[in-house]
Amino acid sequence: MEKYNHKYGAEQIQVLEGLEAVRKRPGMYIGSTSVRGLHHMVYEIVDNGVDEALAGYCTEINVVIEKGNIIAVQDNGRGIPVEIHPKTHISTAETVYTVLHAGGKFGGDSGYKVSGGLHGVGASVVNALSKWTEVTIERDGGIYKMSFEKGKTVNKLERIGDSNKTGTLVRFLADDTIFESLDYEYEVLEKRLREIAFLTKGLKITIEDQREETPKKAEFCYEGGLISFVEYLNKNKEKIHPNPIYIEKTGEVPVEIAIQYTTSYSENIYTFVNNINTIEGGTHLEGFKRALTKVFNDYARSHNILKEKDSNLQGEDIREGITAVVSVKVKEPQFEGQTKTKLGNSEVTGVVQSMVNEALSTFLEENPQIAKAILEKCVSASRAREAARKARELVRKKSSLETSTLPGKLADCSSKVADECEVYIVEGDSAGGSAKQGRDRKFQAILPLWGKMLNVEKARADKIYGNDKLNPVIVAIGAGIGADFDITKIRYGKVIIMADADVDGAHIRTLLLTFFFRYMRPLIENGNVYLAQPPLYKLSKKGMEDVYCYTDEDLEKAYKDLAEKGIARETLSLQRYKGLGEMNPEQLWETTMNPETRILVKVTMDDAIKADEIFTLLMGDEVEPRREFIQKNAKYVKNLDI
Ligand code: 28F
């Protein structure tokens, strides 16, 4: 074989092996082949544009979802270099798009490779998992174009015209033989792009969805960066001090933090590493929390807000009502945790801790009125916690005195093996009744709840313990709440919320998810919380098995299938279920409780965070945004029971 071919062959073989590996095990490279993995395809390309912005050369990134679920991402950076490598005869641009992990354009030097949720697997993976990809580069006065199919080069880079602009445009159609669906969710992409804009001060990011008749479009650009982020997070809350506190440190591990306290009782600290949302926290969060507790206790003592005899403020007292965003950039991040979103680098704890100690104590000294407002809240939180502790002791004594420590309403199951047991939290006594009759009492417990749950947004921990609506849930699950929660003590492997598909059901679901998110978060992180999916419709006809439909699409499909069997739509009677109470025990069992036939939706952290945001909106103090939300979402509440 000639020398020339031999060299070319080696390079080409490496490319082919790379693509082969990616297409054989896509989940290894893009996380999953579900819609989450599909969205990561967009984030990978966008992140390359963000890197160009962090390097100081790109000021705008445009994302378009075109008809047919084609994605287009354009930036106005320098444009990927187009020179041809003397030995391989492959352009740098083609290398970036065909060699696995070739995209480390900033790996070595002072820049930071910002990477999507999957830590920068680079453009070559997106290329390999797309039916086709085309890249158009403007730089050095020309326009260059190359295209691929399933990662294989179809048209090598060639100059196709002149241009006095610079930038990179990437268009791709994800491979539907790999991804379960190509149905991008505009809201999810919009939320992540907004987050990236907050994290990349001054970068303008636009998103447009051209799939519908009326296209949807949004534009994000925040000169305020994290300050704007915290203002956005607090837009429906009553603030304790007008402007967010902003502290930053440059150097080996750049740190940026914005903080603003509100009158709410929940704690919202969002942490990021290289723009990745580290929902499982990690060393940067640890350092932040430690410094926060130290700085506020020191200030309280030195300004006689805490007397000699007073015990220290606890971390949870100081974090009650806090909204904060912590963003660090780490060259070699180590990610741990179930979803690889927990920062492990131990050196970061100290970096963040000392930076916050220094900058925050200076800020408080220079802004005594803000310091005073925040500490007033911390001190009252600490008193409420004390009261809660006493209330909890009381509840424990009360329940230990009572014979049945379990709530009277709970119909428990006979098995005591938590992993095989499940508890249905059912809305309303009638549904609770038929659930008790319809269930398999070996492994299914039923806890009926009634009426509106407590509004946990306004109530402090002390009221949660004693509240007659939530207390049964706490005692039934048996693992305590808040700082005491111990996941190893749960009495059921599955906690299933079963509520109607109407507004009240949505209210109960949101409240319970918010409650679990705030007071039993490990239950969600550990994947123990589920939503039961009762059917929406029943199709029936004499001499035919009842057909249950869970969504409008199901119903249409059922009509079609039955029509193919010669059963015309007009001959069928359709019942739309308004509530669980309309089903008899057997139907409830068959459609919603039988593990063989039911549909359960596992609640993820994202769902809970979303519920928490909606909850704050619905139950928080600000009235105007609530009206806005209801008006905006009212059209989604079909067949509202007036
Ligand atoms: C729509 C997606 O991918 N933008 C990009 C650049 C710019 C450079 C670059 C990219 C590989 C190893 C260098 C230009 N000039 N948007 C994008 N913009 N990649 S990807 O370089 C990658 C090469 O080192 C670039 C000078 N240096 C870097």
Side-chain angles (χ1 to χ4, degrees):
M1 199 144 88
E2 281 171 33
K3 183 108 181 67
Y4 169 77
N5 278 336
H6 173 68
K7 183 78 198 98
Y8 180 76
E11 181 86 11
Q12 192 54 20
I13 288 167
Q14 183 208 4
V15 165
L16 293 180
E17 276 162 3
L19 300 187
E20 191 50 40
V22 174
R23 289 183 62 84
K24 215 185 285 178
R25 268 182 296 286
M28 291 264 289
Y29 294 88
I30 203 77
S32 74
T33 53
S34 70
V35 72
R36 283 180 80 94
L38 185 73
H39 290 153
H40 274 294
M41 295 275 276
V42 181
Y43 304 151
E44 279 309 325
I45 301 300
V46 168
D47 283 338
N48 285 337
V50 174
D51 284 330
E52 195 54 6
L54 284 179
Y57 298 99
C58 159
T59 59
E60 182 165 342
I61 297 175
N62 309 113
V63 177
V64 179
I65 312 170
E66 300 175 4
K67 284 192 188 324
N69 282 314
I70 294 163
I71 294 292
V73 185
Q74 164 116 39
D75 76 35
N76 64 352
R78 294 167 288 185
I80 311 176
V82 295
E83 74 273 357
I84 306 279
H85 194 289
K87 292 206 194 69
T88 62
H89 284 257
I90 294 180
S91 64
T92 303
E94 187 177 339
T95 304
V96 168
Y97 268 77
T98 53
V99 175
L100 226 45
H101 299 294
K105 57 184 181 296
F106 294 116
D109 63 18
S110 67
Y112 292 88
K113 174 94 186 75
V114 156
S115 41
L118 286 143
H119 316 167
V121 290
S124 50
V125 165
V126 173
N127 191 7
L129 299 179
S130 294
K131 251 204 172 60
W132 54 262
T133 307
E134 71 176 43
V135 181
T136 310
I137 298 165
E138 293 174 282
R139 64 178 282 139
D140 312 331
I143 303 180
Y144 301 81
K145 197 166 179 176
M146 61 185 178
S147 61
F148 310 84
E149 283 173 7
K150 297 179 186 176
K152 285 204 184 91
T153 305
V154 170
N155 296 302
K156 293 181 79 58
L157 191 74
E158 61 172 340
R159 194 178 195 285
I160 57 169
D162 300 334
S163 163
N164 53 17
K165 291 186 299 178
T166 63
T168 303
L169 163 65
V170 178
R171 293 180 68 244
F172 68 87
L173 173 62
D175 189 337
D176 61 357
T177 66
I178 288 182
F179 290 97
E180 289 154 24
S181 104
L182 297 193
D183 212 1
Y184 294 96
E185 289 166 28
Y186 174 82
E187 282 69 23
V188 174
L189 293 174
E190 182 192 58
K191 180 170 185 271
R192 176 59 187 157
L193 294 177
R194 178 189 294 113
E195 197 172 84
I196 292 173
F198 280 127
L199 294 162
T200 320
K201 199 183 296 187
L203 171 64
K204 180 177 170 185
I205 301 183
T206 68
I207 177 170
E208 184 179 357
D209 186 347
Q210 298 176 339
R211 292 173 293 180
E212 313 295 331
E213 280 319 298
T214 49
K216 275 183 275 194
K217 194 167 166 56
E219 179 176 309
F220 308 116
C221 183
Y222 302 103
E223 292 308 336
L226 297 195
I227 291 176
S228 309
F229 200 168
V230 163
E231 286 170 341
Y232 170 79
L233 291 168
N234 281 346
K235 67 182 182 312
N236 304 316
K237 298 189 174 187
E238 190 187 346
K239 312 349 154 197
I240 278 189
H241 52 98
N243 304 311
I245 300 168
Y246 178 72
I247 49 182
E248 73 168 322
K249 167 192 156 306
T250 54
E252 185 61 13
V253 177
V255 181
E256 261 195 286
I257 298 175
I259 304 168
Q260 185 174 43
Y261 277 84
T262 68
T263 56
S264 94
Y265 306 126
S266 59
E267 164 185 335
N268 285 302
I269 302 177
Y270 294 83
T271 57
F272 297 86
V273 179
N274 300 352
N275 285 5
I276 294 162
N277 187 348
T278 38
I279 43 179
E280 293 173 273
T283 50
H284 49 343
L285 177 60
E286 203 39 50
F288 176 64
K289 285 182 170 180
R290 286 186 199 167
L292 211 57
T293 303
K294 177 174 172 16
V295 167
F296 278 110
N297 271 297
D298 289 356
Y299 187 92
R301 296 238 175 255
S302 59
H303 291 71
N304 215 13
I305 295 174
L306 274 182
K307 307 284 179 290
E308 198 51 42
K309 64 175 174 46
D310 291 328
S311 51
N312 260 0
L313 299 167
Q314 300 292 305
E316 60 181 288
D317 304 332
I318 288 166
R319 296 193 300 272
E320 185 192 274
I322 191 172
T323 298
V325 178
V326 178
S327 172
V328 299
K329 299 272 187 332
V330 179
K331 280 195 170 49
E332 306 285 337
Q334 309 303 322
F335 291 100
E336 301 165 359
Q338 217 170 355
T339 53
K340 293 275 166 274
T341 57
K342 180 172 188 168
L343 182 63
N345 301 59
S346 53
E347 73 280 9
V348 173
T349 310
V351 168
V352 174
Q353 198 169 339
S354 53
M355 170 264 183
V356 174
N357 281 337
E358 165 73 30
L360 186 57
S361 44
T362 307
F363 177 88
L364 296 183
E365 289 306 329
E366 291 166 358
N367 299 275
Q369 74 287 8
I370 294 182
K372 186 168 166 298
I374 294 173
L375 274 157
E376 259 164 26
K377 180 157 172 52
C378 300
V379 168
S380 71
S382 136
R383 294 207 179 106
R385 182 174 44 77
E386 272 310 300
R389 202 177 48 70
K390 292 193 184 68
R392 192 169 53 228
E393 289 316 311
L394 188 69
V395 163
R396 277 206 189 117
K397 277 199 201 67
K398 199 158 67 73
S399 54
S400 59
L401 292 177
E402 277 159 19
T403 46
S404 67
T405 52
L406 289 175
K409 287 256 178 185
L410 173 72
D412 209 351
C413 51
S414 52
S415 160
K416 294 300 166 226
V417 178
D419 281 355
E420 67 185 34
C421 297
E422 47 194 47
V423 58
Y424 274 81
I425 302 179
V426 192
E427 175 202 6
D429 279 343
S430 66
S434 35
K436 280 179 188 171
Q437 292 170 50
R439 67 177 170 145
D440 177 331
R441 51 192 60 224
K442 179 173 177 303
F443 68 98
Q444 290 182 324
I446 306 295
L447 177 60
L449 285 185
W450 58 95
K452 288 269 185 298
M453 301 290 289
L454 172 87
N455 169 349
V456 291
E457 174 66 17
K458 286 195 172 60
R460 264 216 175 66
D462 49 340
K463 290 205 187 55
I464 300 285
Y465 292 106
N467 178 273
D468 62 354
K469 296 220 177 15
L470 282 175
N471 194 33
V473 176
I474 300 166
V475 180
I477 293 175
I481 67 171
D484 297 348
F485 185 78
D486 175 356
I487 190 92
T488 62
K489 291 212 179 75
I490 55 175
R491 301 181 60 250
Y492 306 98
K494 288 191 175 73
V495 176
I496 303 170
I497 301 172
M498 181 150 79
D500 290 343
D502 62 10
V503 182
D504 281 348
H507 194 130
I508 289 269
R509 250 191 308 280
T510 305
L511 289 173
L512 279 170
L513 286 186
T514 299
F515 175 67
F516 289 142
F517 175 66
R518 292 192 181 164
Y519 296 99
M520 298 188 181
R521 196 167 298 190
L523 206 62
I524 295 179
E525 286 164 342
N526 197 39
N528 298 100
V529 180
Y530 293 81
L531 301 178
Q533 298 294 305
L536 283 181
Y537 304 102
K538 180 178 81 174
L539 281 177
S540 50
K541 179 177 181 190
K542 224 155 56 55
M544 181 191 89
E545 282 267 297
D546 289 344
V547 173
Y548 292 97
C549 303
Y550 292 80
T551 62
D552 292 329
E553 291 74 25
D554 269 3
L555 180 64
E556 283 316 308
K557 190 173 171 312
Y559 275 134
K560 230 176 264 133
D561 295 352
L562 289 168
E564 274 156 24
K565 291 181 201 140
I567 301 176
R569 179 181 285 228
E570 305 70 44
T571 64
L572 291 160
S573 81
L574 170 69
Q575 178 186 354
R576 191 206 183 298
Y577 284 112
K578 284 248 179 322
L580 298 161
E582 292 171 49
M583 270 183 269
N584 65 39
E586 294 68 48
Q587 288 171 330
L588 193 56
W589 160 259
E590 209 38 56
T591 60
T592 315
M593 299 179 75
N594 177 354
E596 261 80 62
T597 50
R598 72 187 177 190
I599 297 173
L600 285 188
V601 173
K602 182 182 283 192
V603 171
T604 66
M605 277 299 281
D606 286 354
D607 302 323
I609 292 171
K610 184 88 194 145
D612 187 52
E613 284 166 359
I614 291 176
F615 183 85
T616 305
L617 209 54
L618 287 177
M619 315 306 285
D621 295 327
E622 309 291 294
V623 175
E624 188 39 45
R626 175 165 40 247
R627 195 193 328 276
E628 246 171 67
F629 174 86
I630 291 170
Q631 276 155 1
K632 185 171 164 236
N633 292 284
K635 56 181 175 300
Y636 297 123
V637 183
K638 279 189 293 214
N639 312 339
L640 191 60
D641 305 344
I642 307 297

